[in-house]
Structures are given as structure tokens and as C-alpha cells.
Amino acid sequence: MSRAKRSKSARKVYTAKNSARSNFRRHREYFDSHEVYDHETQHSSEHRIRVGLSSSSVSPMTVAETFSQAAKHGYDGVEIMVTHNAETRDVDLINGLAAETGLEVMSLHAPTLLFLPRVLHKDHWEKLRITANLAKAVGAKTVVLHPPFRWQGEYALGFVDGVRQVSQETGVTLAVENMYPWRAGVREILVYYPDWNPLDEDYDALTFDFSHASTAGMNAVETVSEIFDKLRHVHLTDGSGSLKDEHLIPGAGTMPVAETLQLLAKHNWSGDVVVEVNTRFVTKKPTREQMLADSLAFARTHLGLEADDRHRHRHRNASSHVRTSETGASEKPSNK
């Protein structure tokens, strides 16, 4: 897989040759010609893998609608993205909806996106502490966060150690998400620091996002195998190798999503999977709802899960598109 480029002084360079698209094509060609999805045996983890719904998948992106849609379709819980909307920070509202629907608040997404620089607090470390404490107040064990931008000063320079410290202080898992280089013609602009690629840093916990991996030209199966012991959280979506961060429903793109989920189940992974798909530009509500239902069904199928009182059991595989790793990485993870 593509690792970040470094200068001779060991400081990470600002731009690199644009290789994301060619890497994506190479991985896709391999998966199209090497079928190793295991059709003969159904795999399910010894641990309970929960499948949740992100508020960013719901239109409108309100807390109440997120719980409503998650309950309607039979998700295990929700992930709330903390935004300008005060509802996303309203502990009483969130706990009330959780009690009303019987759903768990699985995680919060910290307001670390480009358009949320001052939500919660202008100091980035305080922002993370506040988010972690919000997570504790609503019963969530995980906070998902993006790596910093280069221009975020000391926050970026001390990010890896600082994340570990906040996690230890609050007792909440801070799972750093893989991102992607921005593209400018024949160059990639490496705006994230210390890196868009979490494999290059000493994080304790990671989130893997399939759409981000698609835009970055990453091999999903190989990457997940390599970070298996640190992987706590998965954003379930898809991509087609576009310049855009697409967040397609799983199976609608060309990433090896089914194969990666089966890998997790086969090797007894114990984290959470959260559906994070883009429904904002779909005009008809029934169509949006079908996207959420299909995404959940996809997760259950390829994780070997079965919907029975919101608990997961072994399930007969009804796989569709099938591809697998270029490197035999599906055999690398060790059982937890």
C-alpha cells in the first residue's frame, strides 16, 4: 500500500506524485481477477459486532431522525456527529431518545471536520476533551476523529501523543480515522498532519473508512489486515476511486467491502461497524430509507450476522460481488 512520502530530513513533504488513482486501478484489477471470497463457509465473529447508523447518513441530519431511522430498520445503535446543531450536544435529548428507542449510542464523531473549526471550543484539545466527556455522558465508548490539518500548529505537531493522553484522561477510546491526500493535477497535496494514512503513526485505536480509502487509492483488505489489532471502528460505505469522497452505499462502488467485512468476521474482530453513506442528494424519502436498509442488510450478510432481537448469530452467506486481497493479507490477523 502507499505510505506517506518523507523528505530526507524526515519531515513530511507537502506534496507528492499523484498515485492514488493508479493505485486504485491496480487494486481493482487484482480483485476483479482473483476471487477468494469464502463462499463455502459462513464466518461470524466470536464477539458481538454491533452495526450502527451515523447521523451523517440521515437526511435531515438531526438526532431525532437518526434514532427514528435506526430503530425503524433494526440497527443496534447510532453514531452522532457533533456539529453546529445544538441537538448533537444535548445529553438529555440523546439519552431520552436512546431510552425511548432502546438503541445504544455507540460513538460520537468529534467536530474535527474542516467546516467545524470552532464547534465546542476554539482550542482543539479542549474540543476533544469535551467530546470525550459528552461521549461518557451518553454511554458511548468511542469518539471518532480526523487527523489535524498542517496549519493547526502545536495541535498537529503533538497529535499522536495528545490523543493518547486525552484517551487516558477520559477513559474514552479515541479512534483516529484514515483520510486521503487532496489532489491538484499531477500532485497530491498532503494537508493532514502527521498523515492521512494512520499506518505511519503510533495510534492506539483506529477507524477505517472505505470511502476515504477509495479516494486515497488504498487496498482495503491489506490495510485492515495490517491495522487489525488497533482497529476499533469501521465506517461502512463504498467508493469508485473518484476524486470525490463519495460515501456510496456498500456494494454500489468497487471497493472490496464484502471481502473486508468477511475478513473481520473470520478473525473474530470485536469492534463496531457504523453505516456512513451519503443520502443528502436523494430527493425521495423512500429511496433514502431503502439505502439505509440495504446498507444494514449488506453488513449483516458479510459479517455473518442475523437480525434476531438485535443480536447477531450465524447467517447463510448470500454474497454478491466478490474480490479479495492482493497480498494474501486475509490470513494475517490474529484472533482476539
Side-chain angles (χ1 to χ4, degrees), residues 55 61 80-89 109-111 115-116 119-120:
S55 60
M61 290 172 56
I80 302 299
M81 178 176 286
V82 179
T83 68
H84 298 100
N85 185 345
E87 285 189 359
T88 64
R89 313 187 295 274
H109 195 308
F115 60 91
L116 301 172
V119 172
L120 292 184

Side-chain angles (χ1 to χ4, degrees), residues 52-55 57-60 62-78 97 101 103 279 285-293 296 310:
L53 179 63
S54 169
S55 60
S57 301
V58 174
S59 181
T62 65
V63 172
E65 186 67 14
T66 302
F67 275 97
S68 174
Q69 289 296 315
K72 179 175 183 177
H73 297 294
Y75 283 83
D76 291 309
V78 301
L97 289 167
T101 60
L103 296 177
T279 66
K285 185 175 180 179
T287 304
R288 294 198 302 268
E289 291 191 356
Q290 190 61 51
M291 293 169 69
L292 303 183
L296 178 59
R310 297 193 183 98

Side-chain angles (χ1 to χ4, degrees), residues 18-25 28 179-183 188 210-218 238-248 252-255:
N18 189 341
S19 59
R21 181 164 288 179
S22 60
N23 286 339
F24 180 88
R25 284 198 299 266
R28 184 178 61 191
M179 295 305 292
Y180 46 85
W182 294 5
R183 300 181 195 173
E188 294 175 354
F210 285 98
S211 181
H212 297 172
S214 171
T215 302
M218 299 176 82
D238 207 337
S240 63
S242 169
L243 292 171
K244 299 178 181 179
D245 181 17
E246 298 170 289
H247 284 273
L248 306 175
T254 50
M255 290 293 284

Side-chain angles (χ1 to χ4, degrees), residues 39-225:
H39 292 279
E40 301 302 320
T41 305
Q42 51 187 359
H43 297 285
S44 63
S45 176
E46 294 176 357
H47 308 282
R48 181 176 175 238
I49 298 177
R50 302 181 298 176
V51 182
L53 179 63
S54 169
S55 60
S56 65
S57 301
V58 174
S59 181
M61 290 172 56
T62 65
V63 172
E65 186 67 14
T66 302
F67 275 97
S68 174
Q69 289 296 315
K72 179 175 183 177
H73 297 294
Y75 283 83
D76 291 309
V78 301
E79 174 175 301
I80 302 299
M81 178 176 286
V82 179
T83 68
H84 298 100
N85 185 345
E87 285 189 359
T88 64
R89 313 187 295 274
D90 189 328
V91 172
D92 291 338
L93 174 66
I94 294 171
N95 283 337
L97 289 167
E100 180 182 323
T101 60
L103 296 177
E104 301 176 67
V105 183
M106 295 163 51
S107 48
L108 297 185
H109 195 308
T112 51
L113 281 68
L114 181 63
F115 60 91
L116 301 172
R118 293 185 178 272
V119 172
L120 292 184
H121 205 283
K122 65 180 180 180
D123 180 85
H124 302 295
W125 291 118
E126 278 305 302
K127 182 195 296 272
L128 290 188
R129 289 188 181 92
I130 294 169
T131 305
N133 286 321
L134 280 173
K136 291 169 67 175
V138 298
K141 297 181 179 179
T142 303
V143 167
V144 176
L145 68 159
H146 292 181
F149 297 102
R150 282 178 172 263
W151 54 81
Q152 290 180 315
E154 293 300 318
Y155 174 64
L157 293 174
F159 185 68
V160 177
D161 290 337
V163 165
R164 180 174 292 118
Q165 181 177 338
V166 173
S167 182
Q168 291 172 349
E169 287 176 3
T170 61
V172 174
T173 297
L174 271 59
V176 180
E177 188 170 5
N178 62 299
M179 295 305 292
Y180 46 85
W182 294 5
R183 300 181 195 173
V186 297
R187 304 293 290 176
E188 294 175 354
I189 304 175
L190 308 179
V191 297
Y192 294 101
Y193 199 94
D195 208 339
W196 60 264
N197 182 352
L199 268 69
D200 286 340
E201 308 302 329
D202 185 27
Y203 297 116
D204 293 328
L206 297 170
T207 295
F208 182 79
D209 184 297
F210 285 98
S211 181
H212 297 172
S214 171
T215 302
M218 299 176 82
N219 180 323
V221 174
E222 181 181 76
T223 302
V224 166
S225 297

Side-chain angles (χ1 to χ4, degrees), residues 243-308:
L243 292 171
K244 299 178 181 179
D245 181 17
E246 298 170 289
H247 284 273
L248 306 175
I249 67 169
T254 50
M255 290 293 284
V257 185
E259 295 79 355
T260 308
L261 294 185
Q262 188 184 64
L263 170 75
L264 294 173
K266 181 178 180 179
H267 293 283
N268 296 318
W269 186 63
S270 59
D272 290 332
V273 172
V274 169
V275 169
E276 192 181 69
V277 297
N278 185 0
T279 66
R280 291 191 299 277
F281 304 111
V282 179
T283 57
K284 295 182 179 180
K285 185 175 180 179
T287 304
R288 294 198 302 268
E289 291 191 356
Q290 190 61 51
M291 293 169 69
L292 303 183
D294 290 346
S295 297
L296 178 59
F298 187 100
R300 287 175 175 164
T301 295
H302 299 294
L303 288 169
L305 307 177
E306 198 171 290
D308 181 12

